[in-house]
Amino acid sequence: KDLLLLLNDVARLMRTYADGLAREHGTTRAQWAIVAWLGRRPGVTQNQLADLTDLAPMTVARLVDRLEEQGLVKRSVDPQDRRVWRLSLTPAAEPLLQSIKSYRLRLERAVTAGVDPTTLRTMLVGLARMKENLGRARARRSEETD
């Protein structure tokens, strides 16, 4: 089997599954990603959020606009730099955040069904290493083009 094709297939199927669950809640997977990251990292900037979600800064700005209109996200001026907006969830976002946590549990169960715990732990270590490797390679490539 081809590792890269298999990783791509698993990621694509997870995104498709997530899209369906997000639609059931009247939202999008991208909005869920924003809410989930803000639940883990309140106070990040829009640029930091763009890096975390791997979305373009303008896309994040539009998604945050929509979430702000729904009363789920608030922007606050950074006390050190008034040009920077810090983002956080409002109390109204808590039910959606709980739905996302529930969804993640359902997805994790679906993805790992039939995989023994030892294999799963080994996979987690391997995938974490692959992520580090790609992060370093990306940083090196970025430095070379600067």
Side-chain angles (χ1 to χ4, degrees), residues 99-142:
S99 290
I100 292 169
K101 287 178 183 177
S102 173
Y103 143 76
R104 288 174 50 85
L105 194 57
R106 282 173 51 197
L107 179 59
E108 185 174 336
R109 286 182 184 143
V111 169
T112 61
V115 180
D116 74 271
T118 302
T119 300
L120 190 55
R121 281 190 297 276
T122 301
M123 290 170 62
L124 289 171
V125 169
L127 288 168
R129 173 53 62 101
M130 290 177 192
K131 181 179 176 183
E132 289 172 18
N133 292 345
L134 287 171
R136 282 195 299 272
R138 184 178 179 187
R140 280 193 305 273
R141 193 175 71 227
S142 176

Side-chain angles (χ1 to χ4, degrees), residues 12-108:
R12 180 180 44 79
L13 289 168
M14 285 176 44
R15 285 189 303 272
T16 300
Y17 187 89
D19 284 338
L21 289 173
R23 275 193 301 276
E24 286 176 21
H25 288 85
T27 185
T28 66
R29 180 172 39 95
Q31 288 173 318
W32 274 25
I34 299 289
V35 171
W37 275 110
L38 289 177
R40 282 186 240 150
R41 298 226 181 128
V44 296
T45 67
Q46 285 185 187
N47 283 336
Q48 291 168 329
L49 193 55
D51 287 341
L52 291 169
T53 58
D54 214 20
L55 295 169
M58 286 305 298
T59 301
V60 168
R62 284 191 301 270
L63 290 167
V64 169
D65 287 344
R66 285 189 207 120
L67 291 167
E68 189 175 40
E69 288 168 9
Q70 295 171 23
L72 302 174
V73 171
K74 71 174 183 174
R75 288 179 169 105
S76 304
V77 175
D78 184 306
Q80 271 75 41
D81 186 345
R82 298 184 80 49
R83 299 168 295 171
V84 175
W85 291 104
R86 296 285 172 177
L87 306 172
S88 58
L89 296 176
T90 67
E94 189 58 31
L96 180 57
L97 192 56
Q98 291 309 313
S99 290
I100 292 169
K101 287 178 183 177
S102 173
Y103 143 76
R104 288 174 50 85
L105 194 57
R106 282 173 51 197
L107 179 59
E108 185 174 336

Side-chain angles (χ1 to χ4, degrees), residues 1-6:
K1 295 191 179 189
D2 185 312
L3 175 67
L4 297 180
L5 288 176
L6 191 56

